[in-house]
């Protein structure tokens, strides 16, 4: 194996950020896999029933419409968010601006595959309950936004943390709306969160580690030593 090839392999699986991305993706995937096996066997947790009973106590007729509007953020509203995000991303990170539609199209395919494989009904007995597609899609979209904000070096750390929390808030709010409207069990939301995180982390690893050409320190040093003409 050539020196350049060995260097490339070490970069892909080396310590630090690449390894953290891979480790996070694997942990999320195995967490999802455990939930998916139970979902395929039509198993539910006591926490699912307990959460459903607790949410029922919070229901008021005046909140029905607001919750339906909130939950649309994970459906048609997400298309609007993508359209709005694209020109902003184009100015900040053109690579992700180009790849965002591909990433979200893959999310749609992943939803179909995972729901068909599990075949678990929703709390209201409608089909295709596990995992929550709304949570899966929003975790991928807003998770990418959080990643780009958190890795931005031009902003102070506290502002990056605040922006990341704001970006993560819609996932929590929409997830609660799915429980409120009796469209998902809590474990459905957990399934969407884990498979969405695994998919996103793997995508970031592929785009920013595997398919990104590393800078060559040796050539940089050589260039620096060359005298100006």
């Amino acid at each position: 194996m050539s020196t350049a090839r060995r260097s490339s392999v070490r970069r892909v699986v080396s310590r630090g950020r690449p390894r953290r991305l891979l480790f996070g993706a694997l942990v999320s995937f195995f967490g999802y896999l455990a939930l998916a096996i139970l979902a395929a066997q039509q198993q539910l947790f006591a926490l699912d029933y307990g959460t459903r009973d607790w949410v029922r106590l919070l229901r008021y007729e005046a909140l029905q419409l607001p919750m339906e509007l909130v939950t649309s953020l994970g459906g048609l509203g997400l298309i609007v968010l993508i359209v709005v995000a694209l020109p902003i991303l184009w100015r900040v990170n053109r690579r992700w601006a180009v790849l965002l539609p591909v990433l979200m199209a893959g999310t749609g395919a992943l939803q179909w595959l995972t729901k068909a494989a599990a075949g678990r009904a929703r709390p209201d007995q409608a089909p295709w309950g596990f995992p929550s597609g709304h949570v899966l899609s929003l975790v991928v979209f807003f998770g990418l936004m959080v990643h780009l904000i958190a890795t931005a070096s031009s902003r102070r750390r506290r502002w990056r943390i605040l922006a990341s929390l704001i970006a993560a808030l819609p996932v929590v709010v929409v997830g609660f709306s799915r429980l409120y409207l009796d469209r998902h069990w809590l474990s459905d939301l957990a399934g969407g969160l884990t498979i969405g995180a695994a998919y996103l982390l793997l995508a970031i690893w592929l785009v920013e580690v595997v398919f990104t050409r590393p800078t060559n320190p040796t050539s940089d040093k050589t260039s620096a030593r060359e005298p100006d003409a």
Side-chain angles (χ1 to χ4, degrees), residues 1 8 21 47 54 64 70 72 78 86 100 105 110 112 118 133 140 184 187 208 216 219 222:
M1 185 181 291
S8 178
L21 288 171
L47 190 58
W54 175 74
Q64 184 69 21
V70 166
S72 67
L78 183 59
L86 284 176
L100 180 61
L110 185 61
W112 182 89
V140 173
H184 282 294
S187 56
E208 298 191 354
N216 189 333
S219 65
T222 303

Side-chain angles (χ1 to χ4, degrees), residues 98-159:
V98 172
L99 291 175
L100 180 61
V102 178
L103 183 71
M104 297 312 298
T107 302
L110 185 61
Q111 281 188 47
W112 182 89
L113 180 63
T114 52
K115 285 178 178 290
R120 183 209 266 178
R122 301 170 187 266
D124 58 4
Q125 297 306 307
W128 297 69
F130 181 91
S132 168
H134 281 60
V135 171
L136 196 169
S137 299
L138 291 176
V139 163
V140 173
F141 178 81
F142 284 106
L144 177 61
M145 300 303 113
V146 168
H147 167 72
L148 295 176
I149 292 170
T151 54
S153 59
S154 60
R155 296 289 182 269
R156 291 186 177 181
R157 186 169 182 267
R158 64 173 179 269
W159 292 114

Side-chain angles (χ1 to χ4, degrees), residues 39-130:
Q41 297 174 351
Q42 304 302 315
Q43 297 294 316
L44 293 168
F45 302 100
L47 190 58
D48 284 321
Y49 292 108
T51 304
R52 189 186 190 194
D53 291 339
W54 175 74
V55 171
R56 280 176 172 174
L57 297 176
L58 302 177
R59 286 189 184 137
Y60 294 95
E61 185 176 350
L63 291 177
Q64 184 69 21
L65 181 58
M67 284 296 171
E68 290 178 355
L69 292 174
V70 166
T71 206
S72 67
L73 187 63
L76 293 176
L78 183 59
I79 298 175
V80 177
L81 288 175
I82 294 171
V83 171
V84 172
L86 284 176
I88 299 174
L89 273 181
W90 185 256
R91 298 185 62 182
V92 176
N93 191 314
R94 293 190 176 183
R95 175 173 53 183
W96 278 114
V98 172
L99 291 175
L100 180 61
V102 178
L103 183 71
M104 297 312 298
T107 302
L110 185 61
Q111 281 188 47
W112 182 89
L113 180 63
T114 52
K115 285 178 178 290
R120 183 209 266 178
R122 301 170 187 266
D124 58 4
Q125 297 306 307
W128 297 69
F130 181 91

Side-chain angles (χ1 to χ4, degrees), residues 16-30 201 205:
R17 185 162 165 269
R19 182 166 289 185
R20 288 195 297 270
L21 288 171
L22 267 183
F23 180 75
L26 286 173
V27 169
S28 297
F29 176 74
F30 283 115
L201 291 172
W205 180 73

